[in-house]
């Protein structure tokens, strides 16, 4: 799934393979042309976003339209990833939406403190889940205008 | 997206201002208000036409000093062209102040200038949305915005 | 089981009240459950003193449904007596003050119960008060312990006051916390004055150093005895023998002690010395005096006895005070433990249900994905199978919800009130029958006495039983359901019953009826998770009652239950 020198539209950072697949489906269903990249843990996510580690050969200019970020990630957790994204000049303007099962106040506040653009909880039932992802797509891919130079 | 359905009242805190609209054009304001009212949010929004006044409200100062600032709204829709203090300056101050930096701010502007867009993101805007020219389109954009930030987006307990 | 909408009954109910009720019924899960789960009473009262909303716990306490509360003034719901008690607090809340108080209020059944309530005023953006929020909890059991503690304290009061000497208790800063009547009498100071004085104030300047040292010694080494002149308000000096013992209350050290008047002894000693001087030249008299000395020694020994007795009294007092402290600590520890256990169970149940639901989402999701993406490859059977997969996933989700309620039930506090059973059955039936509009279902309500129990739980019992009756009468043209009361001939308590003309069941399997997951009919014939009756059984048992059933295949079934095997009203 390496995109070298290509632009990426959507970055999904999600460790649960079922959720990852279901989320990706919703995006693909509406627009096959969207470039989606799926990362399964926090460390890989950071490598990708900063063109380090196994993604060192990528160009660093990515500017995805949105990053969907789960909080419960192996290796480096979601809050840390968020913190790295929002504190680095190169990436801080990328819209990041936390999409997680946690509705704990502590997590919500931590995310906002770090500058998250939006915080959305994953619904328990599948129908609602699909609906939420669909609305996320509608908002962040169609409605929101990202900055061209990330 | 089901349009025309009012937002279920129980999803909102009672008596809480949910939306702050900072917009100086009466035409646009009227349109936004119509949508907001149709979604059953009468009494849940406040419309402010001037940048300075918007800051007064959000910081509970001057005219709004008695307003209990426990009222943290769920979203601020912010136009950029405003009399008094302009939108970007309002954004800058809101995002710098501890009391208000976590407020979701959505710029709703007719400007498509990359300058404005980049500056807004630099200042920490949550989302930047351009105003369509046609009123029906603007109506549905506003509706989508309200639904997203009131129903989908989560905020910490007040 | 989701709560059906509650329809309005009377035209007098204000529109906002209806809206409020309807709102709560359709609150997203689990908000509605959380608000109504208890044990906290919650309500919102407008600035006009009228209720705008109350949670179920509140309803249960006052024995009124929400339509009867909303729009009504607090005075109407609480009754005149209780209103006079809470009125000052209400007024303060409406002036913008957040206030917490503890009061005994008469409950619906007339009994006084202790409540701790907090009123939080609600201001709008102009600073105007719109109303106030009520949060209250029944603290009856804690008050009980507090009462016991107080009564014990009273006992020690009399013990302290009956002492011959003076008694005192003060902290490191020298603030007096307890003293006896004698102390006031001997020192000549009033209670008010003593509470503001320091121990050193009762001594002459030349003695203050010794006393200060002695006090320090108590706090560092544990105890001390010292003789000094005790100075009263009028300036009178009296020889006293003081003791001090260090004791800990809640980890803070205090000095507790007593003093006895040595005047007698001192006088005796002085007289003795003076006399000796005089008798220096007189041998015989001196011998006599030696006898007197011996007598004096005996006297002193008696004083010593008294001193010992004082020490013993003091120690006994200390024990009493320690016991009180232990009791208080024990109650608090029990409280804390209970809270902790409940929290853990809740968290456990929540995370278990959460973890169980996650794969379900995937199952439903991927089944849907197959339906969408593989449409051309799917035949009718394939589509049907996928539908079944989704149905079962849905069913499992329901099971998880039911089990969660079931487990939660065990931890809930029972909030008793008087229940109009006839009315409740009719209300429950009305809601349930609305869900099956295409069927002919007739309910007959026979006269039944009111019951005592937890309103919400009993409502659940009736809802489950009636719902079952409706379900199992589906094959009938006209479903006939009856509710009534059958007085028992020999027992003190009669039984309520729900009877139907449905498919009944084989009495052979009657023992299985109330087990969790037990069903006597196939799922295809009659849907259900099999938890419903187990829940009912649990509720009835918690009320101290019994539930049993009688039925015959194809001849319908009757479910009987009693509540609290005690005197019938």
């Amino acid at each position: 799934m390496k995109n070298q020198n290509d632009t990426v539209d959507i970055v999904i950072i999600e460790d649960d393979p079922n959720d990852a697949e279901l989320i990706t489906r919703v995006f693909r269903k509406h627009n096959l042309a969207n470039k989606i990249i799926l990362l399964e843990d926090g460390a890989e996510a950071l490598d990708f976003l900063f063109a380090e580690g196994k993604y060192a050969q990528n160009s660093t200019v990515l500017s995805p339209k949105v990053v969907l970020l789960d909080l419960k990630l192996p290796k480096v957790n979601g809050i840390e990833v968020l913190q790295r994204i929002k504190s680095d000049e190169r990436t801080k303007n990328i819209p990041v939406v936390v999409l997680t099962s946690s509705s704990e106040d502590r997590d919500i506040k931590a995310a906002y403190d770090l500058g998250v653009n939006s915080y959305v909880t994953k619904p328990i039932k599948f129908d609602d889940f699909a609906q939420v992802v669909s609305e996320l797509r509608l908002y962040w891919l169609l409605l929101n205008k990202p900055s061209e130079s990330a | 997206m089901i349009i025309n359905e009012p937002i279920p009242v129980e999803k909102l805190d009672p008596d809480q201002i949910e939306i702050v609209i900072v917009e100086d054009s009466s035409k646009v304001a009227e349109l936004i208000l119509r949508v907001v009212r149709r979604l059953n949010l009468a009494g849940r929004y406040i419309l402010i036409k001037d940048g300075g006044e918007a800051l007064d409200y959000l910081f509970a100062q001057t005219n709004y000093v008695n307003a209990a600032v426990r009222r943290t709204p769920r979203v601020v829709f912010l136009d950029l062209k405003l009399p008094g203090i302009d939108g970007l300056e309002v954004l800058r101050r809101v995002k710098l102040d501890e009391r208000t930096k976590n407020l979701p701010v959505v710029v709703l502007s007719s400007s498509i200038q990359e300058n404005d867009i980049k500056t807004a993101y630099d200042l920490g805007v949550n989302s930047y949305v351009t105003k369509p020219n046609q009123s029906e389109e603007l109506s549905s954009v506003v509706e989508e915005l309200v639904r997203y930030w009131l129903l989908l987006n989560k905020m910490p307990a007040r | 089981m989701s709560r059906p909408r509650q329809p309005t009954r009377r035209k007098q109910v204000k529109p906002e009240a209806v809206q409020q009720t309807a709102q709560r019924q359709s609150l997203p899960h689990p908000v509605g459950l959380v608000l109504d789960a208890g044990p906290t009473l919650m309500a919102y009262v407008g600035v006009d003193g009228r209720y705008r909303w109350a949670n179920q716990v509140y309803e249960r306490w006052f024995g009124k449904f929400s339509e009867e509360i909303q729009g009504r003034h607090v005075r109407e719901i609480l009754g005149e007596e209780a209103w006079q008690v809470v009125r000052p607090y209400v007024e303060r809340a409406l002036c913008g003050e957040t206030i917490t108080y503890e009061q005994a209020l008469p409950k619906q059944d007339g009994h006084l119960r202790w409540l701790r309530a907090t009123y939080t005023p609600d201001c709008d953006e102009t600073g105007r008060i719109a109303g106030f929020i009520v949060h209250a909890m029944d603290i009856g059991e804690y008050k009980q312990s507090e009462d016991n503690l107080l009564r014990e304290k009273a006992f020690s009061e009399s013990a302290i006051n009956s002492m011959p000497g003076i008694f005192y208790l003060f902290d490191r800063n020298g603030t007096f916390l307890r003293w006896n009547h004698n102390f006031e009498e001997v020192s000549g100071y009033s209670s008010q004055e003593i509470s503001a004085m320091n121990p050193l104030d009762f001594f002459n300047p030349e003695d203050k150093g010794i006393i200060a040292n002695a006090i320090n010694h108590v706090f560092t080494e544990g105890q001390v005895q010292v003789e000094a002149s005790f100075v009263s308000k009028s300036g009178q000096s009296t020889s006293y023998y003081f003791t001090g013992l260090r004791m800990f209350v809640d980890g803070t050290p205090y000095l507790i002690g007593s003093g006895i008047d040595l005047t007698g002894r001192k006088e005796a000693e002085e007289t003795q010395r003076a006399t000796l001087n005089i008798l220096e030249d007189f041998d015989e008299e001196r011998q006599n005096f030696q006898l007197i000395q011996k007598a004096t020694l005996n006297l002193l020994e008696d004083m010593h006895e008294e001193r010992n007795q004082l020490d013993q009294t003091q120690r006994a007092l200390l024990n009493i005070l320690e016991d009180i402290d232990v009791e208080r600590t024990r109650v608090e520890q029990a409280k804390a433990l209970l809270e902790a256990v409940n929290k853990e169970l809740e968290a456990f149940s929540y995370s278990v249900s959460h973890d169980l639901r996650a794969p379900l989402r995937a199952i439903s999701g991927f089944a849907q994905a197959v339906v969408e993406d593989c449409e051309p490859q799917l035949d009718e059977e394939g589509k049907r199978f996928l539908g079944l997969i989704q149905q079962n996933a849905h069913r499992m989700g329901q099971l998880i919800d039911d089990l969660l309620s079931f487990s939660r039930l065990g931890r809930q506090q029972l909030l008793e009130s008087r229940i109009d059973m006839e009315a409740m059955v009719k209300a429950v039936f009305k809601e349930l029958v609305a869900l099956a509009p295409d069927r002919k279902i007739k309910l007959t309500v026979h006269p039944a006495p009111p019951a005592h129990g937890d309103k919400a739980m009993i409502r659940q019992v009736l809802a489950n039983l009636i719902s079952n009756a409706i379900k199992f009468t589906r094959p009938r043209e006209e479903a006939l359901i009856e509710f009534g009361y059958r007085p028992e001939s020999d027992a003190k308590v009669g039984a309520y019953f729900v009877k139907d003309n449905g498919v009944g069941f084989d009495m052979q399997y009657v023992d299985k009826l109330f087990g969790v997951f037990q069903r006597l009919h196939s799922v295809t014939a009659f849907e259900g998770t099999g938890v419903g009756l187990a829940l009912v059984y649990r509720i009835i048992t918690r009320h101290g009652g019994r539930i049993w059933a009688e039925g015959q295949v194809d001849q319908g079934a009757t479910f009987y239950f009693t509540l609290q095997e005690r005197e019938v009203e």
Side-chain angles (χ1 to χ4, degrees), chain A:
Chain A
M1 269 226 256
K2 272 185 264 188
N3 288 300
Q4 309 206 0
N5 294 324
D6 276 356
T7 49
V8 161
D9 294 313
I10 307 140
V11 176
I12 303 177
I13 309 176
E14 168 64 61
D15 82 313
D16 181 312
N18 292 324
D19 284 353
E21 185 151 358
L22 292 173
I23 295 172
T24 312
R25 261 185 64 80
V26 173
F27 279 93
R28 287 213 201 288
K29 199 162 46 167
H30 285 96
N31 187 349
L32 280 168
N34 279 146
K35 297 267 175 28
I36 305 173
I37 182 138
L38 181 59
L39 301 157
E40 293 171 339
D41 66 62
E44 194 182 351
L46 291 173
D47 280 351
F48 178 81
L49 289 165
F50 295 109
E52 287 163 6
K54 75 189 223 201
Y55 295 101
Q57 62 272 52
N58 281 15
S59 86
T60 52
V61 180
L62 288 174
S63 41
K65 296 212 174 80
V66 68
V67 171
L68 293 182
L69 176 63
D70 190 6
L71 291 183
K72 298 189 205 19
L73 298 172
K75 296 189 194 158
V76 180
N77 75 37
I79 289 290
E80 257 194 80
V81 173
L82 176 63
Q83 201 255 340
R84 289 284 310 273
I85 296 176
K86 286 297 176 181
S87 58
D88 193 301
E89 272 306 307
R90 302 171 280 173
T91 52
K92 69 178 179 56
N93 285 355
I94 300 175
V96 178
V97 178
V98 159
L99 176 60
T100 179
S101 40
S102 164
S103 48
E104 300 233 348
D105 236 47
R106 180 186 42 202
D107 289 331
I108 304 177
K109 187 169 188 306
Y112 275 100
D113 283 342
L114 291 169
V116 78
N117 295 67
S118 172
Y119 189 110
V120 176
T121 48
K122 288 183 196 166
I124 293 173
K125 299 210 178 91
F126 171 69
D127 288 339
D128 300 332
F129 181 78
Q131 168 115 11
V132 163
V133 177
S134 181
E135 283 182 34
L136 282 176
R137 189 198 76 89
L138 183 76
Y139 189 91
W140 295 100
L141 291 192
L142 298 178
L143 213 61
N144 185 64
K145 292 276 165 293
S147 172
E148 254 142 60
S149 42

Side-chain angles (χ1 to χ4, degrees), chain C residues 45-66:
Chain C
V45 176
V47 69
D48 55 2
R50 291 176 182 277
Y51 288 96
R52 285 175 58 188
W53 178 85
N55 74 345
Q56 272 184 37
V57 183
Y58 204 99
E59 288 173 21
R60 274 185 241 139
W61 176 279
F62 292 106
K64 291 189 157 57
F65 287 117
S66 55

Side-chain angles (χ1 to χ4, degrees), chain C residues 76-207:
Chain C
E76 289 176 67
I77 301 302
L78 261 56
E80 191 58 44
E81 228 185 282
W83 167 243
Q84 290 309 334
V85 173
V86 308
R87 184 188 190 150
Y89 304 113
V90 169
E91 282 167 0
R92 281 160 78 176
L94 289 178
C95 285
E97 199 184 320
T98 297
I99 177 156
T100 300
Y101 67 86
E102 285 180 21
Q103 282 288 359
L105 294 176
K107 219 174 145 178
Q108 239 286 304
D109 54 11
H111 292 127
L112 275 181
R113 304 276 294 179
W114 277 92
L115 278 180
R116 177 181 297 131
T118 302
Y119 293 160
T120 313
D122 172 36
C123 308
D124 67 17
E125 70 267 22
T126 60
R128 218 175 24 152
I129 311 281
F132 64 93
I133 300 146
V134 178
H135 277 170
M137 254 192 76
D138 184 332
I139 52 166
E141 41 189 274
Y142 310 130
K143 260 315 188 208
Q144 191 60 30
S145 300
E146 236 188 75
D147 280 346
N148 287 340
L149 288 174
L150 282 169
R151 260 180 272 132
E152 285 199 43
K153 258 210 233 167
F155 165 69
S156 59
E157 286 276 12
S158 45
I160 291 170
N161 275 326
S162 67
M163 275 173 52
I166 61 175
F167 170 81
Y168 41 83
L169 167 71
F170 53 85
D171 66 13
R172 268 225 104 119
N173 300 328
T175 311
F176 281 98
L177 286 127
R178 298 288 302 279
W179 58 91
N180 67 351
H181 197 63
N182 254 359
F183 195 114
E184 288 169 24
E185 283 233 339
V186 173
S187 67
Y189 290 101
S190 71
S191 185
Q192 200 114 338
E193 291 171 301
I194 295 180
S195 62
M197 290 170 75
N198 184 288
L200 296 178
D201 295 336
F202 297 92
F203 297 94
N204 289 318
E206 57 265 25
D207 284 338

Side-chain angles (χ1 to χ4, degrees), chain C residues 261-412:
Chain C
D261 186 336
L262 285 180
T263 324
R265 186 189 117 172
K266 270 266 149 78
E267 271 180 5
E269 262 192 31
E270 303 231 312
T271 319
Q272 210 176 289
R273 224 175 279 129
T275 319
L276 262 175
N277 284 340
I278 299 170
L279 296 177
E280 233 171 29
D281 302 323
F282 299 81
D283 266 321
E284 199 193 296
E285 284 79 349
R286 197 159 66 221
Q287 272 178 25
N288 282 341
F289 188 71
Q290 270 167 1
L291 288 171
I292 298 174
Q293 258 190 325
K294 227 170 253 147
T296 316
L297 264 175
N298 288 340
L299 181 67
L300 287 177
E301 262 188 43
D302 287 342
M303 290 238 141
H304 189 76
E305 270 302 307
E306 213 183 289
R307 197 166 72 198
N308 270 347
Q309 254 179 13
L310 223 67
D311 273 347
Q312 276 176 21
T313 315
Q314 190 168 292
R315 239 164 270 273
L317 276 173
L318 264 180
N319 285 340
I320 293 172
L321 289 169
E322 257 178 48
D323 284 346
I324 293 177
D325 198 39
V326 166
E327 181 68 35
R328 189 181 298 137
T329 316
R330 226 175 336 158
V331 168
E332 280 180 22
Q333 277 178 356
K335 254 200 282 180
L337 189 66
L338 187 66
E339 265 177 50
V341 167
N342 265 353
K343 251 197 213 141
E344 253 192 70
L345 278 172
E346 186 57 43
F348 175 73
S349 308
Y350 180 78
S351 74
V352 161
S353 79
H354 199 79
D355 291 345
L356 285 175
R357 281 214 181 88
L360 282 181
R361 185 168 69 200
I363 293 172
S364 297
F366 288 116
Q368 185 63 19
V370 175
V371 165
E372 287 169 10
D373 290 2
C374 308
E375 237 254 294
Q377 288 105 307
L378 282 175
D379 61 357
E380 282 313 302
E381 273 292 273
K383 292 190 189 139
R384 191 175 68 85
F385 287 148
L386 286 165
L388 284 172
I389 292 175
Q390 284 173 310
Q391 263 177 55
N392 275 283
H394 179 71
R395 193 177 138 72
M396 179 146 172
Q398 261 184 326
L399 253 171
I400 294 173
D401 285 345
D402 283 352
L403 280 175
L404 197 61
S405 322
F406 183 76
S407 86
R408 211 171 263 148
L409 183 69
R411 287 172 268 124
Q412 261 178 317

